[in-house]
Amino acid sequence: MRIMGIDPGGTTGISIIDVTWDETRYEPTPDCHVESHQIEASWGTGPDSIGWKMRNLIRDVCPDLIALEKFIITQQTVRFTRQPDALWIIGGTRFIADTLLIPVHMQPASLAKTTWDATRLKDTGWARVVKQKHARDALRHALTACVTYKDGV
């Protein structure tokens, strides 16, 4: 199963892993890493825009599942950060996935960061494979989906 993890934002992180799926808890190893990217949000039109880049990447990679950060807006979010980029990328990714019939698994950043914290990434060798901050956060989403995603749920 090919899983694409996405950390949406002004700098969007993307990591792709290939895993063998079974019904037990499975922890993938760094040798299943396919590729990672960080893309700066550009909201123009045409092939240089983030929308086109995401569409082309998703289409070219052909993931079986997209593990996407569930961006939750709270009072704290409104007070400290405004990230329309994250919301637009989430919406665009979901639309692209729908048109390509790819399931999207939404999960909170806190779940990915606690399931795959810095110590665990280092101890399992993943920290050496993906070094960019946002790409690493995307990797956390892909790895967490290995445990939390249930087909059709």
Side-chain angles (χ1 to χ4, degrees), residues 46-119:
D48 291 332
S49 73
I50 185 80
W52 276 79
K53 289 176 183 176
M54 292 296 292
R55 181 187 69 90
N56 291 340
L57 186 60
I58 292 168
R59 187 192 61 212
D60 294 347
V61 168
C62 296
D64 299 299
L65 175 69
I66 295 175
L68 183 59
E69 179 180 325
K70 182 189 293 184
F71 189 74
I72 301 168
I73 299 174
T74 65
Q75 289 291 341
Q76 195 170 16
T77 309
V78 173
R79 194 172 325 133
F80 295 115
T81 183
R82 297 188 188 271
Q83 281 209 37
D85 294 340
L87 297 174
W88 294 335
I89 290 166
I90 290 168
T93 299
R94 291 187 67 166
F95 175 76
I96 294 163
D98 283 349
T99 62
L100 298 173
L101 303 176
I102 300 168
V104 175
H105 179 61
M106 302 287 291
Q107 55 197 9
S110 59
L111 176 63
K113 286 184 179 179
T114 56
T115 304
W116 286 89
D117 63 12
T119 302

